[in-house]
Amino acid sequence: MTLTEQTTELLNTAARAAADALGEDLVAIDVTGTLPFSDVFLIVTADNPRHLRGVKSGIEDDVYAALGRSPRVEGNEASEWLLLDYGDVAVHIFQREARDFYALDKLWNQAPRVNITEVQATR
């Protein structure tokens, strides 16, 4: 499927913010044809709880500054997995062990990937 310009801008802003906060292993998965409530997942790895909170804050701040959008947040400060739900873009921020355990990358391995390498290369 094809992402809208608005969704692509949100995805790129969130990915750039995650990369700027030193989030790792960024993967974007196009779920437009599969899920009715989201168009793309952005999956990010953080090293520890403090880093996870930093990545979350960086994404929230940058997306709000650029696009005026705030997410619905699932998870709390003690979580190993935070979800920033912007509707069309769902950002999953995992600590490494949780990402390995839940394996969203593998669960969605049949869904197309969205190229965000240019975003990651700017950090």
Side-chain angles (χ1 to χ4, degrees), residues 28-108:
I29 302 172
D30 184 337
V31 295
T32 53
T34 310
L35 298 177
F37 53 83
S38 189
D39 293 334
V40 64
F41 289 167
L42 175 62
I43 304 172
V44 183
T45 300
D47 291 329
N48 54 55
R50 184 176 180 186
H51 187 210
L52 185 113
R53 290 189 304 272
V55 172
K56 172 192 172 281
S57 294
I59 293 169
E60 286 179 310
D61 292 348
D62 287 6
V63 168
Y64 187 79
L67 305 172
R69 293 183 61 178
S70 296
R72 182 175 55 89
V73 178
E74 296 289 331
N76 59 43
E77 296 297 315
S79 296
E80 294 180 332
W81 176 6
L82 292 174
L83 171 68
L84 305 180
D85 185 357
Y86 287 96
D88 49 344
V89 176
V91 181
H92 299 268
I93 311 167
F94 288 99
Q95 287 187 51
R96 190 165 311 283
E97 299 79 23
R99 183 167 179 175
D100 291 343
F101 179 80
Y102 290 104
L104 287 186
D105 306 67
K106 291 178 186 169
L107 180 66
W108 290 96

